[in-house]
Amino acid sequence: MPSHTETKKGGLAIVGLGPGRREYMTPRALKVIALADYVIGNALYLDPLEPLLTGKTVIRSSMGKEVERAQQAIDLACSHAVAIVSGGDAGVYGMAGIVLEVLEHSGADIEVEVIPGVTAANAAASRVGSPLSGDFAVISLSDLLTPLEVIEQRLDAMFSIGIPVVLYNPKSRGRPHNFSLAIEHARKYLGPETPVAIVRNALRDDEEVIITTLAGVENVENAVDMHTTVIIGGKESRIWRMGEDVKGIITPRGYHHKYVY
Ligand code: SAH
């Protein structure tokens, strides 16, 4: 798809910024931001981009105003190069879905490009070895847009088939109990030794990583907040050790059934 931003006509780029540090952004994301007239997003994501924003009009918006932000981005994109940014991947609990829905509804004829980013599941997994080597599921514990009973059904379904489950939005002030609820569901199907990784601010300067088990997770529950991604291993997952040191989690893909190593 030819990009609006290269021809300097109007158009909209929906950009995933990755988990935090600049070096984890894609060259494509950097390029469309460099070419944009307007950059729109949450202050949390825009502030670290500051050196890239000189000479651009920056629109900082707050959480909960996503529909207005999408509409504004579309209006501006009719005549300007606009980049609307989300942390991680813009299509994973980010702005891409709502922007495309509003665009479809508005009937505006503008060029649009979705630019992928490293999502929190991949960022967190990379800090604890290889916990997501095969099939896995991603579930958000935020019940702002999805009813809690639906979230619980999804947790049950995924834990019951024994694949690793990555929890986004595990806890916030508004819903402190959803995380313990998710752990209760996991315990119905998985043993106490099942490894659990708690990764806070993955690939950001104040990163924290904890490796524990389903049995021990209560002791470190305070480390879980809205900047955290939690990986609950599946039936095959195990703690990865080097000597005495716990390094992370491995979920074998099954090579050991076929090869000797
Ligand atoms: N679009 C984002 C997800 C937004 S939902 C992405 O693709 O990553 C917000 C949730 O993402 C947070 O509550 C947290 O669970 C997770 N998250 C985002 N960035 C993170 C990071 N650097 N470290 C750990 N978790 C992160």
Side-chain angles (χ1 to χ4, degrees):
M1 188 193 308
S3 168
H4 65 284
T5 43
E6 278 168 23
T7 56
K8 269 281 177 189
K9 288 208 314 267
L12 183 60
I14 309 171
V15 186
L17 299 176
R21 287 207 290 274
R22 182 84 42 87
E23 59 198 319
Y24 291 102
M25 284 174 69
T26 64
R28 183 74 189 147
L30 288 163
K31 187 171 180 183
V32 294
I33 290 170
L35 292 168
D37 303 315
Y38 285 84
V39 180
I40 304 180
N42 256 322
L44 176 72
Y45 303 127
L46 288 173
D47 292 345
L49 291 180
E50 201 57 64
L52 306 176
L53 302 178
T54 320
K56 302 178 189 306
T57 308
V58 176
I59 302 178
R60 291 183 162 72
S61 53
S62 46
M63 296 269 283
K65 298 254 188 263
E66 287 83 4
V67 178
E68 288 93 321
R69 200 191 314 167
Q71 187 63 62
Q72 185 182 26
I74 290 162
D75 293 346
L76 287 166
C78 294
S79 49
H80 297 90
V82 177
I84 183 162
V85 300
S86 282
D89 185 279
V92 180
Y93 315 116
M95 285 299 292
I98 184 62
V99 171
L100 297 182
E101 280 183 77
V102 174
L103 177 63
E104 185 183 44
H105 200 248
S106 75
D109 181 22
I110 55 172
E111 288 270 0
V112 63
E113 179 182 355
V114 181
I115 294 153
V118 174
T119 190
N122 301 131
S126 76
R127 307 308 288 150
V128 297
S130 188
L132 309 178
S133 323
D135 300 334
F136 66 95
V138 168
I139 296 184
S140 166
L141 298 189
S142 169
D143 51 13
L144 284 177
L145 301 174
T146 306
L148 189 55
E149 71 214 55
V150 174
I151 297 174
E152 291 190 71
Q153 280 164 10
R154 291 174 184 174
L155 289 167
D156 261 334
M158 293 305 110
F159 289 133
S160 73
I161 57 173
I163 60 175
V165 173
V166 184
L167 302 177
Y168 282 53
N169 297 299
K171 219 198 248 179
S172 78
R173 254 167 280 138
R175 48 190 154 74
H177 306 301
N178 292 10
F179 180 65
S180 9
L181 200 59
I183 296 298
E184 272 173 40
H185 283 286
R187 285 183 178 150
K188 287 196 266 176
Y189 305 99
L190 299 162
E193 294 311 315
T194 305
V196 175
I198 297 174
V199 185
R200 187 166 184 277
N201 285 324
L203 301 172
R204 295 181 185 147
D205 292 341
D206 39 1
E207 177 183 89
E208 287 169 54
V209 176
I210 297 172
I211 310 292
T212 180
T213 59
L214 264 186
V217 75
E218 261 101 5
N219 305 328
V220 287
E221 223 208 285
N222 286 343
V224 176
D225 67 7
M226 60 187 289
H227 303 293
T228 308
T229 293
V230 179
I231 301 174
I232 301 178
K235 287 206 170 81
E236 320 263 318
S237 307
R238 58 177 171 79
I239 299 281
W240 164 41
R241 286 192 170 82
M242 277 172 82
E244 294 294 295
D245 293 343
V246 169
K247 303 292 278 184
I249 300 174
I250 294 177
T251 303
R253 262 194 80 192
Y255 288 104
H256 58 290
H257 298 309
K258 270 191 119 171
Y259 304 98
V260 177
Y261 51 88

